């Protein structure tokens, strides 16, 4: 798979993905298609996203997304059977040929499938509003709708932010141990 748009590169921080840097026209094409086909928000606005994960014949194992604010849209295309999304809070979500909203911060995985399956997941990276100005400008020029440098949340995402300043190191250690335990089970 590949992630177009905003990614977190080890040692480099939040930046435009190499795939988007090296193939800007492809990125613009995919983002334009997403913006034209994604459902509107309840207020009639475009769904804001900074990143687009594209997978080919990939069945994700049970996981919780990292660096994702939460609200994510998925669609799968191609001649395949199965390949739905399972989420801990919604169960099976049929996403073949239709965008479906899910929470990337809830456990989820791809159900088994046969055939050719291409999936697209549009989401906002948790750092979308804390970018260096040139990175935000570059992402906006590629068509991404959630790319800012002003540290202000878009209204759509404000309710998904979790205040973590009160958490102790002990709490964080327990949380990380739980995540590690879950990863070993899957």
């Amino acid at each position: 798979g590949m992630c177009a748009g905003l990614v977190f590169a080890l040692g480099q921080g939040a930046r435009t993905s190499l795939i988007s840097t090296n193939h800007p026209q492809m990125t613009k094409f995919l983002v334009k298609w997403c913006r034209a086909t994604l459902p509107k928000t309840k207020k009639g606005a475009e769904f804001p996203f900074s990143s687009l994960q594209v997978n080919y014949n990939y069945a994700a194992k049970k996981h919780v997304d990292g660096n994702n604010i939460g609200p994510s849209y998925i669609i799968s295309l191609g001649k395949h059977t199965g390949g739905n999304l399972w989420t801990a809070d919604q169960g099976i979500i049929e996403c073949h040929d239709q965008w479906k909203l899910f929470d990337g911060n809830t456990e989820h995985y791809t159900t088994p499938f046969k055939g050719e399956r291409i999936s697209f997941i549009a989401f906002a990276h948790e750092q979308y509003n804390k970018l260096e100005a040139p990175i935000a400008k570059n992402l906006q020029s590629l068509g991404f709708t959630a790319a800012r440098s002003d540290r202000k949340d878009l209204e759509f995402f404000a309710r998904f932010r979790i205040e973590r300043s009160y958490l102790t190191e002990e709490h964080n250690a327990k949380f990380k141990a739980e995540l590690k335990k879950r990863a070993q089970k899957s």
Side-chain angles (χ1 to χ4, degrees):
M2 65 177 186
C3 190
L6 182 58
V7 296
F8 188 84
L10 200 56
Q12 299 175 32
R15 62 179 301 247
T16 304
S17 69
L18 284 176
I19 196 75
S20 292
T21 300
N22 293 333
H23 302 282
Q25 296 302 67
M26 178 201 65
T27 301
K28 287 178 182 179
F29 175 79
L30 290 173
V31 170
K32 186 176 182 178
W33 170 75
C34 287
R35 290 179 64 179
T37 60
L38 276 164
K40 302 290 185 207
T41 67
K42 287 182 180 178
K43 293 187 174 184
E46 288 187 66
F47 175 73
F49 65 107
S50 65
S51 308
L52 179 64
Q53 179 67 37
V54 182
N55 298 312
Y56 178 75
N57 283 346
Y58 175 71
K61 294 183 181 195
K62 189 185 290 185
H63 69 285
V64 173
D65 292 347
N67 299 321
N68 181 346
I69 290 180
S72 306
Y73 267 102
I74 184 171
I75 189 171
S76 70
L77 304 174
K79 288 187 174 188
H80 65 275
T81 56
N84 292 311
L85 181 71
W86 175 90
T87 68
D89 61 339
Q90 296 184 63
I92 298 289
I93 299 173
E94 293 185 25
C95 57
H96 190 211
D97 292 331
Q98 57 187 333
W99 287 105
K100 291 294 183 165
L101 184 64
F102 73 101
D103 181 355
N105 290 324
T106 300
E107 286 185 320
H108 57 281
Y109 66 85
T110 307
T111 63
F113 65 91
K114 289 184 179 174
E116 187 174 51
R117 180 181 183 273
I118 304 169
S119 62
F120 299 85
I121 302 98
F123 66 97
H125 190 286
E126 68 179 0
Q127 297 291 315
Y128 83 92
N129 63 343
K130 299 176 183 87
L131 303 174
E132 294 175 17
I135 294 172
K137 186 176 179 181
N138 179 246
L139 290 165
Q140 291 166 1
S141 76
L142 294 170
F144 290 98
T145 53
R148 307 171 68 131
S149 59
D150 61 8
R151 304 185 75 77
K152 294 179 182 175
D153 262 322
L154 293 170
E155 182 183 348
F156 183 85
F157 293 123
R159 64 191 169 127
F160 296 100
R161 294 285 188 182
I162 299 170
E163 175 57 45
R164 293 182 175 101
S165 62
Y166 67 89
L167 299 177
T168 65
E169 284 305 313
E170 179 184 356
H171 182 276
N172 286 330
K174 286 180 183 177
F175 176 71
K176 287 176 184 175
E178 177 62 26
L179 286 179
K180 188 175 181 179
K181 191 169 84 177
R182 288 181 187 175
Q184 291 170 344
K185 285 182 181 178
S186 49

